[in-house]
Amino acid sequence: MNSVSHGFSVGSLFGASPAMQEVFRLIERVGPTEASVLLTGESGSGKELAAQSIHECSPRRDGPFIAINCGAIPAGLIEAELFGYERGSFTGAVRAHAGVFERAQGGTLLLDEVTEMPLDMQTRLLRVLETRKFYRVGASTEFTSDVRVIAATNRCPLKAVQNGQLREDLLYRLAVFPVALPPLRERGDDVELLAEHFLSELNAQGDTHKRLSALARMMLKQHSWPGNVRELKNCIERAYILGDSVLELAPLIQSGGARGDGDRGRLDIRVGSRIYDMERSLIEATLDYFKGNKRRAADALGCSLKTLYNKLNGYSQSQECANT
Ligand SMILES: Nc1ncnc2c1ncn2[C@@H]1O[C@H](COP(=O)(O)OP(=O)(O)OP(=O)(O)O)[C@@H](O)[C@H]1O
Ligand SMILES: [Mg+2]
């Protein structure tokens, strides 16, 4: 089997959680085949990267990998984008143009946001998938497609069928092999693994040795990452740019930098968090909120200043242990 798996990664897709290990297993099984794959998952969960990994696991890996976002193309242009057009076939077609089916010849074509494709185009697409034949717009010569098709959506495909957005026959044709990317909040310690991975890439690029603070690592666990891996990656990049040697995430996550809700002064605590971690992040976030003023933080927390000092001493000792 043509595998590019290294345990915690397949291609550029990283993850050690059982949920991602299962995704890797599926990718490695389906990669070398010609089966169509339907990737589902929330925005930012890694569908495009998964499509690339499937391509890299396939005998087509030396061919092109082309991604097209069906939601971003005006309805009237999508046929020309998919199948190309001949010169003069419509106003503005001053020269012939190869569509993505031609450009992906010998390789893999990712149809992203496939549910956003107009229904009449879905019918055309289904025909091409079944017959492997297509014409450029305005052409009489038939092309035979040698393209492996992967589709992706962040909607529930069955609901899209019920809403009349996705043709049922196309769904069954595309979803020969469905792969669901789990949301980041269901990947446990992958959040930290990915954060370290993105940070080490940035450190390598910038020839730096920046690292995450203990509070930052805790915040990684407690944030729910509604924007998934994309949000995490952006958050780490911003922290890297803003920080000197020890990076904080609190200002980014709490100020809504990552969520856009301007919700400073809130902690997002996951069910299953340890009480110790929860208390520590509450204390550190409260201190942060009061700009390091321990008396005001102690008042807000409803404990004595002495208790606050004791807790903080405890944290700095456990931090020293972690660093040795
Ligand atoms: N498991 C992963 N390991 C490393 N990087 C990842 C992983 N998942 C996603 N990424 C990175 O996160 C970002 C978002 O991933 P991607 O574009 O594949 O998501 P998507 O599901 O296609 O999102 P959308 O639905 O918004 O199109 C990219 O920069 C990608 O490289
Ligand atoms: Mg995408």
Side-chain angles (χ1 to χ4, degrees):
M1 196 165 67
N2 296 310
S3 163
V4 286
S5 164
H6 305 289
F8 292 161
S9 64
V10 169
S12 330
L13 210 55
F14 281 72
S17 61
M20 282 308 283
Q21 291 291 310
E22 175 61 8
V23 168
F24 295 170
R25 191 181 72 83
L26 295 175
I27 288 178
E28 288 179 322
R29 295 301 293 195
V30 78
T33 74
E34 285 286 298
S36 298
V37 178
L38 179 64
L39 296 164
T40 55
E42 291 179 8
S43 183
S45 60
K47 297 182 294 296
E48 178 151 358
L49 212 51
Q52 275 173 25
S53 301
I54 293 171
H55 174 70
E56 284 159 27
C57 287
S58 80
R60 295 174 171 271
R61 80 176 75 83
D62 295 327
F65 172 84
I66 304 236
I68 179 177
N69 186 332
C70 305
I73 303 165
L77 293 182
I78 193 148
E79 182 178 9
E81 267 309 307
L82 288 176
F83 306 119
Y85 52 83
E86 290 299 340
R87 184 167 164 234
S89 54
F90 54 86
T91 324
V94 286
R95 64 173 76 95
H97 173 81
V100 284
F101 264 91
E102 259 178 83
R103 284 188 274 137
Q105 200 73 343
T108 306
L109 174 61
L110 169 62
L111 299 173
D112 209 352
E113 297 194 34
V114 69
T115 57
E116 309 308 300
M117 190 184 282
L119 288 172
D120 59 330
M121 274 316 296
Q122 293 187 15
T123 314
R124 304 285 289 271
L125 174 64
L126 181 62
R127 254 202 57 233
V128 176
L129 294 176
E130 281 176 347
T131 62
R132 297 186 155 256
K133 306 280 186 214
F134 67 92
Y135 295 89
R136 282 182 175 178
V137 177
S140 50
T141 331
E142 199 177 53
F143 278 92
T144 300
S145 107
D146 170 25
V147 169
R148 201 257 184 100
V149 172
I150 300 179
T153 178
N154 47 28
R155 296 178 188 273
C156 163
L158 285 174
K159 272 198 196 131
V161 168
Q162 280 163 14
N163 299 340
Q165 266 191 308
L166 178 63
R167 286 186 55 120
E168 192 172 16
D169 45 10
L170 180 62
L171 171 63
Y172 291 123
R173 180 64 189 73
L174 290 173
V176 173
F177 198 90
V179 177
L181 275 298
L184 185 54
R185 62 184 169 279
E186 289 173 14
R187 299 189 205 173
D189 292 342
D190 276 6
V191 179
E192 249 184 303
L193 177 95
L194 285 167
E196 295 294 349
H197 165 67
F198 295 137
L199 183 55
S200 67
E201 278 186 344
L202 292 165
N203 273 328
Q205 280 162 25
D207 196 18
T208 48
H209 296 92
K210 300 188 185 184
R211 61 189 176 83
L212 294 169
S213 78
L215 174 61
R217 281 204 300 275
M218 213 167 309
M219 302 218 56
L220 285 176
K221 288 186 194 163
Q222 275 154 6
H223 187 51
S224 61
W225 302 106
N228 294 292
V229 186
R230 179 179 295 116
E231 181 188 353
L232 174 64
K233 191 173 179 181
N234 292 343
C235 183
I236 296 295
E237 191 167 348
R238 277 199 305 274
Y240 178 85
I241 294 168
L242 288 170
D244 288 324
S245 56
V246 181
L247 310 184
E248 296 299 344
L249 300 181
L252 300 175
I253 294 178
Q254 281 185 279
S255 68
R259 288 180 179 217
D261 60 5
D263 206 4
R264 186 176 149 77
R266 286 186 80 88
L267 272 185
D268 193 354
I269 291 169
R270 274 227 311 258
V271 171
S273 302
R274 296 191 313 158
I275 291 174
Y276 172 89
D277 289 345
M278 203 177 72
E279 183 181 272
R280 178 170 178 176
S281 48
L282 175 65
I283 288 175
E284 298 195 286
T286 307
L287 259 177
D288 187 55
Y289 185 81
F290 290 109
K291 300 192 170 57
N293 185 324
K294 296 193 182 65
R295 179 165 298 283
R296 291 186 65 195
D299 286 345
L301 290 161
C303 68
S304 69
L305 195 56
K306 186 164 179 287
T307 304
L308 182 61
Y309 270 107
N310 287 342
K311 299 255 183 213
L312 292 173
N313 279 338
Y315 301 154
S316 59
Q317 273 160 22
S318 66
Q319 175 61 23
E320 275 162 27
C321 294
N323 289 342
T324 49

